[in-house]
Amino acid sequence: MSSARTPIHHLAMQLLVCGREELPSVVDVLSRREAWNEVAALAERWKVFPALAARVAAERLPLPPEPAAALARSTSIQFFRTTVCMRAGCDALRALSEAGIPALVFKGAAVIAHLHQGMRDRMVRDVDVLIRPADLSASLRVLEAHGFRRCIGQGPIEDYIAFVEHSPGAAGNQAVSLLNRQDAAVDLHWRLGKFDPAELLESASTVEVLGTSIRVVRPASGLLLTVHHALRNDLVPDEIARDVLDCSGWFRRMAGHPAELVQAREQAARLGLVEALGAMAIIVRRFGGQVPEGLEGKDASRALADLYFRQLGEGPINTDLAYLGSGRAALQILRGAWTGWRRYQQVMREFESRQGEASLSLLQRGMRLLRSAAGLSPAHWRQLRALTKAKDRLSD
């Protein structure tokens, strides 16, 4: 596809990921197509506008005055919100540490700690904290005593745990969302698919953030947890734009840290993330980013990457399609129903409401799934099958 015909969605991601040698041609196409307003709107929608603002400033890109001013306003507001969230995360880690409970941060907070100079270039809407499964009850007591409260699952915590254990969409991730008195969010995780919390905690490093010494996941694991999050979100472009940028940053860091790259490859093999890691490498490389050699993988990785680009051009899939043909997903739902269907449904509706999703009956979901499945091409089915297998491997 010629650059003149490349969709704006693709060009916007390419602008954020590509190296300096490709940047002038991307900027030229966007300027000739007068697409800067659309790029700024996409960056807002994808929640990557701090990265766009940083690139505009560093490369002196010709953003017109109106979107430039809007971008500056959004970035300043988000810098404040990110600071509030990071402060909540530091408070949570400090409280857990004082109680003798090992904990670390990963995802956005780890990206800020390892890949950025501060909190202006990467926004976070919550801070992800990992603890050992055995410490869940004690951690909740400690955090609730320090002003945090659950925002989903106000009933018995056992009902909520049963829901996340039997939710196929969780893909092995088990966490509860907490809010402090300023409504800053901390997601408390105790399981992350096949990741061993004890191993992640043992290999974490200590960094200084907002005057607090906090434990942060090591770079190799930070990369794979980003890949894990992208796969859990079905490679939907609106949901994983920050994951693509974060993977690009992790890959650049790996170029100067070969031991971390070796660790990432070995860990991916143990965790069932080889295909997903390869897919993210393909995606970043297609956008012109720097990727270490040997990560792109084979057919399954290409199918996953093609699914991402299909959604980038055509819109997101019905994520229920990822469960078709998955015995694991069906078994999880049946187990959830067996433990108490009404309680399971109640927590599911709370979760959907929190995510801004419509709550549908089983019949409505089934009919929507049939409509989505009708007319899919063989190539699309192969991509969806690769997604289903990859997600199944997260929880096996």
Side-chain angles (χ1 to χ4, degrees), residues 92-93 96-97 100-106 128-141 143 174-176 178 186-192 195-201:
L93 286 181
L96 293 171
S97 177
I101 299 173
L104 59 76
V105 296
F106 63 101
D128 292 278
V129 173
L130 175 67
I131 57 170
R132 297 174 304 196
D135 291 329
L136 175 59
S137 295
S139 298
L140 286 174
R141 286 196 299 271
L143 294 177
Q174 296 179 22
V176 60
L178 306 169
V186 169
D187 284 355
L188 186 67
H189 300 252
W190 62 95
R191 292 195 188 279
L192 290 165
F195 287 90
D196 180 0
E199 180 184 336
L200 294 176
L201 287 161

Side-chain angles (χ1 to χ4, degrees), residues 78-102:
Q78 192 56 54
F79 172 70
F80 171 75
R81 291 175 177 167
T82 295
T83 302
V84 171
C85 280
M86 290 293 288
R87 196 176 302 281
C90 290
D91 290 345
L93 286 181
R94 188 185 306 112
L96 293 171
S97 177
E98 290 171 353
I101 299 173

Side-chain angles (χ1 to χ4, degrees), residues 204-215:
S205 57
T206 302
V207 300
E208 191 84 6
V209 176
L210 296 174
T212 302
S213 294
I214 64 171
R215 300 284 284 168

Side-chain angles (χ1 to χ4, degrees), residues 345 348-350 352-353 356-361 364-365:
Q345 278 189 310
M348 180 172 65
R349 285 170 180 153
E350 285 184 53
E352 290 170 336
S353 176
E357 300 172 0
S359 185
L360 303 176
S361 68
Q364 289 172 319
R365 289 183 82 113

Side-chain angles (χ1 to χ4, degrees), residues 38-109:
E38 193 170 350
V39 168
L42 284 171
E44 186 90 29
R45 190 172 97 193
W46 292 340
K47 304 177 184 66
V48 296
F49 53 85
L52 176 60
R55 183 123 232 205
V56 167
E59 307 295 341
R60 299 183 180 180
L61 302 185
L63 206 62
E66 184 179 342
L71 187 63
R73 284 194 302 272
S74 296
T75 302
S76 295
I77 293 170
Q78 192 56 54
F79 172 70
F80 171 75
R81 291 175 177 167
T82 295
T83 302
V84 171
C85 280
M86 290 293 288
R87 196 176 302 281
C90 290
D91 290 345
L93 286 181
R94 188 185 306 112
L96 293 171
S97 177
E98 290 171 353
I101 299 173
L104 59 76
V105 296
F106 63 101
K107 275 175 53 181

